[in-house]
Amino acid sequence: MKISYDTEIDALYIRLLDGVHECRTVRLNEEIALNIGDGEKLVGIEILDAARVLGSGRLPQVVLENIPIASA
């Protein structure tokens, strides 16, 4: 998983699957869109106007629970 933030356009993107995927976009509202790939897999989540949507303009704390860490 990769989380990136573009300060110029105030957009946050959460990429759940690595690689190149042909996706369709499903808009949940004006600010949030889901990128859906083959097999209906969720590839990524885009959040526009992220500072307002997420609150104080900071990324919230990310807590991983019950997720095994892959060895390199």
Side-chain angles (χ1 to χ4, degrees), residues 12-13 24 31-32 40 46 49 53 59 68:
L12 183 81
Y13 191 74
R24 66 184 171 89
E31 294 88 11
I32 301 174
E40 296 300 301
E46 180 182 52
D49 199 10
V53 171
L59 286 177

Side-chain angles (χ1 to χ4, degrees), residues 2-65:
K2 179 180 179 181
I3 302 173
S4 57
Y5 177 68
D6 185 327
T7 57
E8 286 187 35
I9 60 172
D10 188 25
L12 183 81
Y13 191 74
I14 303 167
R15 174 174 283 283
L16 301 169
L17 298 177
D18 289 330
V20 177
H21 299 274
E22 193 167 320
C23 296
R24 66 184 171 89
T25 300
V26 175
R27 295 201 84 49
L28 299 181
N29 55 38
E30 289 185 23
E31 294 88 11
I32 301 174
L34 306 177
N35 291 329
I36 310 293
D38 290 336
E40 296 300 301
K41 291 182 181 173
L42 180 59
V43 174
I45 304 166
E46 180 182 52
I47 303 172
L48 302 176
D49 199 10
R52 183 184 61 76
V53 171
L54 295 174
S56 65
R58 300 176 298 167
L59 286 177
Q61 178 183 3
V62 176
V63 178
L64 303 176
E65 292 182 348

